[in-house]
Amino acid sequence: MPELPEVQTIVNDLLEGGVRGAVITRAEVLWPRTVSGLTSEQFCRGIAGKVAVAVRRRGKFIVFDLAPQGHLLVHLRMSGRLIVASPREARSPYDRLVLRFGADREVRLHDTRKFGRCYLVEDTKGILDRLGPEPLDPDFSVPLLAERLRSRRRRLKPLLLDQSFLAGLGNIYVDEALWEAKLHPCRVSATLTCKEIRALHKAIVKVLEKGIRNSGTSLGRGKANFRSLGEKAGTNQAHLEVFRRTSEPCRRCRCPIERIVVGQRGTHICPQCQAL
């Protein structure tokens, strides 16, 4: 599933591609369940003629702010991708929704597993207000993280994956941040010291910013692996410290990386650097 750096990369590419300010002249829903809360006809009728005045990210959602009113929220889930193409280009059998911008450009939601969802809403609060703080916002401070950690007694890995606790983190960047902070994923959140909380805050910001600089993490060539617009792969996979590096030496202490299971999620750690 695309995480914060991958979604931000897609948003950056959409902005560079000139989607902001363009008119959505028409829409086609090719898999009805892709649209949540509306019928295909209601969605197409509701979005036609709207202007995408802004494109932004909130957590793992791509948000199109529309004029004269409304918002389109896109969640790519496990295997969704956005593809920009000419209307003359052949469509894939995995294209689930198509937005026509102007006369000569389409944004297609390509989704092999059909888990991606689109929401056309008047107000984003019902969906986006469920999310926790944005970890790259200036308001995400050490005191804020400390308050949220100490008010819960949960293991760090499942807690950091909880989108209501902190928005945008997934399996890759939680593993990377915990390695960076030298914290075991099974540590209970309320037991962290002030020093450890500062280290975790710094690590979360560091691994996310690195992921964005490297245009996200693409772990393979499979259809479910991350690609941005134009099938552009990320390069962050070459800079991962623990994720999917099982049995390889830790770059800090040379101890072999181990794969364990925490909260039913495959988890990668250095057993020496991240001793419980």
Side-chain angles (χ1 to χ4, degrees):
M1 178 186 293
E3 302 179 29
L4 187 156
E6 290 73 47
V7 177
Q8 187 62 54
T9 297
I10 294 168
V11 168
N12 293 345
D13 287 349
L14 285 169
L15 292 171
E16 290 177 11
V19 167
R20 180 169 53 193
V23 178
I24 302 172
T25 54
R26 61 175 294 190
E28 294 178 64
V29 179
L30 307 175
W31 177 253
R33 292 182 187 174
T34 298
V35 174
S36 183
L38 297 173
T39 66
S40 299
E41 293 76 13
Q42 288 171 329
F43 178 89
C44 293
R45 188 167 58 248
I47 204 167
K50 298 288 179 68
V51 179
V53 292
V55 186
R56 56 191 172 93
R57 179 194 56 77
R58 175 73 170 103
K60 298 178 184 179
F61 285 89
I62 301 167
V63 181
F64 295 81
D65 294 320
L66 306 174
Q69 75 279 327
H71 310 267
L72 171 64
L73 311 181
V74 180
H75 200 302
L76 298 173
R77 301 280 180 94
M78 292 297 295
S79 61
R81 300 179 187 174
L82 292 186
I83 295 172
V84 176
S86 164
R88 294 179 293 277
E89 293 180 48
R91 292 179 181 170
S92 162
Y94 301 116
D95 290 342
R96 309 301 177 190
L97 183 141
V98 177
L99 299 176
R100 177 78 61 85
F101 285 83
D104 59 356
R105 180 170 46 180
E106 291 181 346
V107 174
R108 303 173 182 176
L109 173 58
H110 177 99
D111 188 6
T112 55
R113 297 183 183 178
K114 302 179 179 177
F115 293 155
R117 290 293 179 268
C118 295
Y119 308 80
L120 182 62
V121 295
E122 291 297 310
D123 193 328
T124 64
K125 290 182 179 180
I127 298 174
L128 300 186
D129 280 8
R130 303 171 191 168
L131 302 177
E134 283 288 331
L136 295 183
D137 275 3
D139 291 340
F140 178 61
S141 62
V142 174
L144 175 61
L145 179 60
E147 177 186 355
R148 297 179 73 80
L149 289 168
R150 288 170 177 163
S151 66
R152 294 160 173 83
R153 293 195 61 85
R154 292 180 63 187
R155 293 181 297 175
L156 285 175
K157 176 71 182 273
L159 180 60
L160 292 173
L161 288 175
D162 184 343
Q163 297 301 294
S164 67
F165 177 79
L166 199 60
L169 289 170
N171 217 29
I172 298 172
Y173 296 97
V174 169
D175 282 5
E176 292 294 298
L178 290 174
W179 178 87
E180 189 73 35
K182 299 183 180 180
L183 292 170
H184 194 281
C186 290
R187 276 289 298 276
V188 175
S189 56
T191 68
L192 267 61
T193 66
C194 292
K195 181 179 179 180
E196 289 171 328
I197 293 171
R198 286 195 298 271
L200 180 58
H201 180 277
K202 181 179 179 180
I204 290 170
V205 173
K206 178 179 179 179
V207 301
L208 292 176
E209 288 181 340
K210 181 173 74 170
I212 293 171
R213 284 197 307 273
N214 293 324
S215 300
T217 302
S218 298
L219 294 170
R221 296 297 304 175
K223 292 180 180 179
N225 289 298
F226 167 70
R227 293 290 186 277
S228 188
L229 305 189
E231 290 294 289
K232 183 178 72 176
T235 61
N236 198 56
Q237 59 274 13
H239 304 278
L240 297 175
E241 302 291 352
V242 286
F243 192 79
R244 293 200 182 175
R245 294 192 64 239
T246 306
S247 300
E248 295 183 36
C250 170
R251 296 191 178 104
R252 204 158 41 199
C253 72
R254 310 306 296 172
C255 181
I257 301 299
E258 292 183 359
R259 183 187 184 278
I260 62 175
V261 177
V262 180
Q264 300 181 322
R265 300 296 295 271
T267 301
H268 303 81
I269 66 166
C270 170
Q272 184 163 295
C273 292
Q274 297 171 264
L276 182 61

